[in-house]
Amino acid sequence: MKSTVYNLLSALAPLHYDNLTYCHKQSLKILNRFSGQHKRFHSLMGKDPVHLEKRMVDGQYLPPWFSVAPMMDWTDNHYRTLARLISKHAWLYTEMVVAETIVHQRNNLDRFLAFSPEQHPIVLQLGGSNLENLAKAAEFANAYSFDELNLNCGCPSGKVAGHGCFGARLMFDPKFVADAMSAIAANCSVPVSVKCRIGVDDHDSYNELCDFVYAIVSNSPTRHFIVHARKALLSGLSPAENRKVPPLKYEYYFALLRDFPEVQFTINGGITGIDQVNAARRQGAHGVMVGRAAYNNPWSTLRHVDSAVYGIPTSSLSRRQILEKYQMYGDSVLGKYGPGKPSIRQLVKPLLNLFHSEPGNGLWKRKADAALRRCKTIECFLEATLDAIPDSVLDSTLHRSPSDWEGSFADIDGMLPPPYKLSLQQSMSVSACLGISN
């Protein structure tokens, strides 16, 4: 039997963005349907029709069944260039860009927002807690043709949650988040999403998580949530500890699928490989987001995404060929924004994990350290270091095939919390919005 929340949300906020109505918002721009897989646009840097065509089906990108998490200082243009050479279909996220940075740097936006067309599909993550600046940031970013705009409501870092009251701290104020998502959506032409935790500090019950989701879905165009299945502890834990210490509660994520069937949910947290991705998808996950594993071991993590997740043949590029292509990119952008912007070290950084656990990896990293002291180009760096890696590794194209591992999701159905129920106040609010009399 369909729940009350299902029926009310069906009437209030259907998934088709062009049919949405809101009690307190007007004149929002029409958005495309998330599950319609997003019509694409080209970036200001031009487009490569041949390259883009390989990743599009009937003019659309494939859905975000697999995505790489936004990670500060990690998922920059250089890492995303490498990741796209390994997987054509994984959805890529930028680092979080603070709205105020975009507003104040409006005359220098390429440095923060520009990306090559090969990086599509790509999502821009925004951070902030000022509605006007979030709206302006979305307007400026819209010119760069990202495929989705995302608001950070999950970062527990003191630099984020404690500065300007954004990141995970925003989960304390779902009404503001709904207003922020409406403001962002009104100023862009692509779908919008929220990345959040399952709770913050002592506000960690399943009902509180549902209250957060419900408030946003019923008062904004947001129909996609990326849910890190741990709560955030804003005091006493570092960001690294917040990724490990709070227990994973995947049952909360899968209960959201049950209680909000018209909303798209991507699961995040503790998932480190394609076997786990496929297990989550078999259990019903709409999408899976992988974080540090995709950075710390990009070859093994991303190599099977196209074939194992999307059912499309994997690229035949070897790591030698990938490095040759990356070298052309790297040397073309060295110092593009001034001396050392970017630097050789910044460009080499995402390469250093390409041979994770492979023969020669230790020697490669020692040679890399020495080469970075003297090399001025990526070509010089590769010439000085690649003899540490055996040809059999450099020229291999495939690892092992993914298995049917079930892992943490096999018994999840028996662990789900009770279905979410709207409070009387929420039900009255929905009825008033729909014009339903008691």
Side-chain angles (χ1 to χ4, degrees):
M1 181 179 294
K2 293 182 179 178
S3 65
T4 302
V5 66
Y6 174 91
N7 292 327
L8 289 174
L9 285 175
S10 296
L12 176 65
L15 186 57
H16 295 276
Y17 286 175
D18 52 351
N19 292 329
L20 288 173
T21 56
Y22 309 98
C23 296
H24 67 298
K25 298 292 175 185
Q26 296 180 356
S27 302
L28 294 181
K29 290 187 177 181
I30 296 174
L31 302 177
N32 295 322
R33 183 181 179 182
F34 174 87
S35 61
Q37 302 174 6
H38 309 250
K39 290 186 177 180
R40 304 300 87 187
F41 307 85
H42 67 277
S43 81
L44 292 183
M45 298 178 68
K47 63 179 180 178
D48 176 354
V50 174
H51 188 97
L52 293 178
E53 185 177 313
K54 294 177 182 177
R55 296 200 309 282
M56 301 177 76
V57 177
D58 296 329
Q60 299 174 336
Y61 289 117
L62 297 176
W65 294 337
F66 181 101
S67 55
V68 178
M71 293 175 281
M72 292 296 292
D73 298 322
W74 287 15
T75 52
D76 57 14
N77 247 320
H78 319 314
Y79 170 79
R80 297 195 308 266
T81 297
L82 176 66
R84 183 58 73 219
L85 288 169
I86 302 173
S87 169
K88 290 187 176 70
H89 299 286
W91 281 60
L92 305 178
Y93 278 63
T94 69
E95 304 171 271
M96 182 190 71
V97 183
V98 178
E100 283 69 22
T101 298
I102 296 175
V103 172
H104 297 152
Q105 296 284 337
R106 66 183 68 185
N107 296 321
N108 190 29
L109 287 180
D110 278 5
R111 181 180 173 188
F112 301 95
L113 298 179
F115 60 92
S116 68
E118 287 81 8
Q119 290 184 30
H120 285 292
I122 181 173
V123 180
L124 169 66
Q125 185 179 70
L126 295 172
S129 58
N130 180 288
L131 289 179
E132 182 178 355
N133 285 337
L134 285 168
K136 289 180 179 178
E139 181 182 2
F140 294 145
N142 194 50
Y144 286 81
S145 300
F146 288 94
D147 300 300
E148 183 173 296
L149 298 190
N150 174 267
L151 181 64
N152 182 341
C153 295
C155 182
S157 170
K159 295 179 181 178
V160 174
H163 178 71
C165 190
F166 62 97
R169 198 173 292 275
L170 288 180
M171 291 192 71
F172 291 136
D173 192 354
K175 182 183 183 303
F176 171 82
V177 176
D179 289 343
M181 298 311 296
S182 293
I184 292 169
N187 287 278
C188 72
S189 54
V190 294
V192 295
S193 61
V194 168
K195 188 173 189 297
C196 64
R197 294 281 182 130
I198 60 170
V200 180
D201 293 336
D202 293 332
H203 297 270
D204 59 356
S205 70
Y206 177 67
N207 260 26
E208 288 171 299
L209 173 61
C210 288
D211 287 343
F212 176 78
V213 171
Y214 173 80
I216 296 166
V217 168
S218 59
N219 293 291
S220 85
T222 309
R223 294 297 178 274
H224 181 202
F225 290 78
I226 299 93
V227 181
H228 187 141
R230 289 186 174 93
K231 74 174 182 178
L233 293 172
L234 300 183
S235 299
L237 291 183
S238 68
E241 290 170 329
N242 258 297
R243 294 191 296 269
K244 300 175 181 177
V245 175
L248 286 161
K249 292 189 175 182
Y250 292 131
E251 61 271 24
Y252 279 22
Y253 168 82
F254 285 100
L256 288 173
L257 306 186
R258 175 197 64 198
D259 292 335
F260 296 88
E262 295 157 7
V263 179
Q264 298 287 323
F265 293 99
T266 293
I267 190 172
N268 174 228
I271 297 174
T272 60
I274 291 298
D275 292 349
Q276 290 172 288
V277 170
N278 283 336
R281 293 269 300 139
R282 285 193 295 271
Q283 190 61 34
H286 299 145
V288 182
M289 175 176 280
V290 175
R292 276 153 180 78
Y295 190 93
N296 292 330
N297 193 357
W299 180 256
S300 292
T301 305
L302 299 177
R303 188 61 180 164
H304 286 291
V305 168
D306 295 350
S307 58
V309 178
Y310 289 98
I312 292 173
T314 297
S315 165
S316 60
L317 292 179
S318 67
R319 276 173 282 191
R320 189 195 301 276
Q321 293 169 315
I322 285 171
L323 287 171
E324 289 171 354
K325 291 179 177 293
Y326 187 88
Q327 179 248 308
M328 295 174 61
Y329 157 77
D331 285 339
S332 73
V333 300
L334 266 171
K336 182 176 181 179
Y337 300 107
K341 297 179 181 180
S343 68
I344 184 75
R345 286 186 178 273
Q346 289 171 320
L347 285 158
V348 165
K349 182 181 176 182
L351 301 180
L352 295 178
N353 295 316
L354 192 58
F355 301 106
H356 180 83
S357 297
E358 296 279 14
N361 182 57
L363 179 58
W364 144 262
K365 289 191 173 182
R366 291 193 294 274
K367 286 198 165 198
D369 187 58
L372 284 171
R373 297 191 184 99
R374 60 180 180 81
C375 285
K376 304 300 182 184
T377 65
I378 301 297
E379 182 178 20
C380 170
F381 172 81
L382 294 176
E383 287 176 352
T385 60
L386 279 187
D387 61 350
I389 305 297
D391 288 343
S392 59
V393 173
L394 279 168
D395 296 321
S396 66
T397 58
L398 290 174
H399 275 330
R400 65 179 181 84
S401 299
S403 71
D404 292 328
W405 180 88
E406 293 293 341
S408 303
F409 312 113
D411 302 316
I412 203 73
D413 286 342
M415 302 168 61
L416 301 185
Y420 174 56
K421 293 183 179 180
L422 292 176
S423 67
L424 178 61
Q425 183 178 2
Q426 289 170 322
S427 297
M428 292 175 63
S429 174
V430 171
S431 296
C433 189
L434 295 175
I436 300 173
S437 59
N438 292 329

